[in-house]
Amino acid sequence: MQYFDYKYTYSLEAGASLPGFRLAYTTRGTLNADGSNVVWICHALTGNADPGDWWSGMVGPGRFYDPEQYFIVCANILGSCYGSTGPLSINPETGDPYFHDFPTITVRDIVGALDLLRQELGIDRIHTCIGGSVGGQQAVEWGIMQPDLIENLVLLASNAVFSPWGIAFNESQRMAIEADATWRERRPDAGQAGMKAARAMALISYRNYDTYGFTQALDNNEQLDGYKAAGYQQYQGEKLVRRFNAFTYWTLTKVMDSHNVGRNRGSILNALGQIKARTLSVGIKSDILFPPSEQQFLARHIPDAVYQEIDSLYGHDGFLIEFKPLSQIIRKWMAERAGKVLVQEEGRKGGRE
């Protein structure tokens, strides 16, 4: 783990500012001589800066993104709790943690911070920027904010604007946190019981009816209690509490809610039309939180973008689980793009001759 400290006032989109910030990040592999092998991975809601931890099927020796071939960068996003500045960080102006006073941040603020890290690392171009869910929201924003920076943009189970459906899920989760009597206390473990319930709600949106029917089926027809599905919800809540906090969860669900590439850009279509990167938009057939129609929308309105779909049992979480089909889709798309570029170059050469 490495750290980037930005020591200047950082203005935020909603009007407030941070008196500097820290980003935790990891790198794998070596930047090549011409700087053309950078893969920047943007993590999702509760992810961290080590993609080998949460995406080991895609990142690592012998995997699709192999550090022998690529210089792989991943940073823990602003507002998170894995080493970057977030609600439990010390506010240098008060000497105490921010807690509830952490300012409102947006996806654009997060991407702006990532871009400052990019500059610090001396990266002038990104071969591939890839992200799923909230990570995809970051990637598409970056493609708009820096259209000449990214060569290949891979958007997984993401969207151009967060839906009222998604906002409703997030607000319901925040209501669960608010219902916890400890939530208003200024202590790191405030709201934990509420966050357990929030995470259980979230899991329902990350999976679907068929997922639970397959993985949490009844043990027998005589059961009256002790259901697998109930135990699974409890387990997921407990699991998150051991590694996360309610303040960060609150902050980052608000980040998701604010995602709208069209804000202050005339329209969503105008914003997407500014992207120059070769773009692959991947949907998951069973995703109920970010349904395939949202990824199809991205592909229709980003110039020359391609849409592909994964048929997965695991709903939205499929982008974290379905390594093999995802690798196949990206590999085929990159090969087709390379073939088109070669044909274009040969055509130009033939015309000159």
Side-chain angles (χ1 to χ4, degrees):
M1 193 67 66
Q2 303 174 70
Y3 299 93
F4 165 58
D5 291 303
Y6 185 73
K7 299 180 179 180
Y8 307 96
T9 299
Y10 185 62
S11 298
L12 302 169
E13 187 183 3
S17 63
L18 285 169
F21 62 80
R22 164 172 281 194
L23 292 184
Y25 69 97
T26 63
T27 64
R28 293 173 178 234
T30 304
L31 186 66
N32 61 12
D34 62 359
S36 63
N37 69 331
V38 176
V39 171
W40 198 297
I41 298 173
C42 299
H43 72 74
L45 181 67
T46 64
N48 58 39
D50 182 8
D53 177 47
W54 50 268
W55 222 19
S56 59
M58 289 291 289
V59 180
R63 303 299 185 183
F64 187 79
Y65 292 120
D66 190 330
E68 287 293 319
Q69 180 179 359
Y70 296 107
F71 182 60
I72 303 164
V73 185
C74 183
N76 185 223
I77 60 175
L78 193 65
S80 189
C81 58
Y82 292 116
S84 295
T85 296
L88 296 190
S89 301
I90 299 297
N91 180 349
E93 296 179 344
T94 66
D96 296 316
Y98 286 98
F99 291 125
H100 310 84
D101 300 328
F102 192 74
T104 297
I105 60 173
T106 67
V107 175
R108 292 185 197 177
D109 296 324
I110 288 171
V111 172
L114 294 179
D115 199 65
L116 289 168
L117 169 60
R118 172 192 67 81
Q119 295 172 48
E120 177 71 12
L121 294 176
I123 294 172
D124 295 323
R125 56 174 167 156
I126 295 174
H127 175 276
T128 298
C129 181
I130 182 171
S133 190
V134 186
Q137 293 176 342
Q138 296 163 52
V140 72
E141 269 289 350
W142 212 348
I144 296 167
M145 293 170 68
Q146 298 276 349
D148 295 315
L149 173 68
I150 299 168
E151 296 174 29
N152 300 288
L153 195 59
V154 182
L155 310 175
L156 313 173
S158 196
N159 52 22
V161 55
F162 200 51
S163 66
W165 172 249
I167 292 170
F169 266 112
N170 282 350
E171 182 65 17
S172 299
Q173 293 170 57
R174 291 189 294 266
M175 288 169 66
I177 293 173
E178 285 181 326
D180 185 330
T182 69
W183 167 237
R184 286 300 162 191
E185 299 178 22
R186 296 177 68 85
R187 68 186 212 208
D189 63 346
Q192 280 193 345
M195 189 176 68
K196 290 180 187 178
R199 185 61 166 181
M201 293 179 190
L203 257 292
I204 296 170
S205 70
Y206 299 160
R207 304 297 173 88
N208 57 59
Y209 180 95
D210 290 331
T211 313
Y212 277 80
F214 179 73
T215 63
Q216 312 300 327
L218 296 177
D219 291 325
N220 56 69
N221 291 330
E222 284 69 46
Q223 246 183 303
L224 291 173
D225 205 349
Y227 303 108
K228 287 181 182 177
Y232 182 70
Q233 298 303 94
Q234 292 284 347
Y235 164 74
Q236 290 293 344
E238 292 283 354
K239 184 179 176 183
L240 187 68
V241 162
R242 290 195 294 269
R243 67 180 181 89
F244 223 66
N245 69 81
F247 297 98
T248 297
Y249 200 88
W250 181 283
T251 296
L252 295 185
T253 57
K254 284 284 191 177
V255 167
M256 292 175 70
D257 290 359
S258 74
H259 176 60
N260 187 336
V261 300
R263 186 170 56 250
N264 297 320
R265 291 178 176 139
S267 70
I268 293 170
L269 301 190
N270 182 64
L272 295 177
Q274 297 175 38
I275 294 175
K276 296 181 180 179
R278 295 184 290 270
T279 302
L280 171 66
S281 179
V282 180
I284 300 170
K285 188 175 182 179
S286 58
D287 191 343
I288 64 170
L289 184 59
F290 289 71
S293 59
E294 296 189 332
Q295 295 85 59
Q296 292 164 3
F297 180 89
L298 288 169
R300 281 199 306 273
H301 298 292
I302 295 174
D304 299 319
V306 172
Y307 174 75
Q308 293 291 334
E309 189 168 286
I310 294 173
D311 187 1
S312 171
L313 175 67
Y314 294 100
H316 185 60
D317 273 353
F319 80 92
L320 294 168
I321 297 171
E322 303 287 5
F323 306 129
K324 185 175 181 180
L326 180 56
S327 297
Q328 290 173 341
I329 285 172
I330 298 174
R331 183 178 289 108
K332 181 180 178 182
W333 170 72
M334 292 186 70
E336 290 174 348
R337 296 301 304 182
K340 288 181 180 179
V341 170
L342 181 60
V343 168
Q344 291 169 355
E345 289 178 348
E346 290 178 344
R348 287 194 294 269
K349 182 179 179 181
R352 289 195 299 272
E353 292 175 347

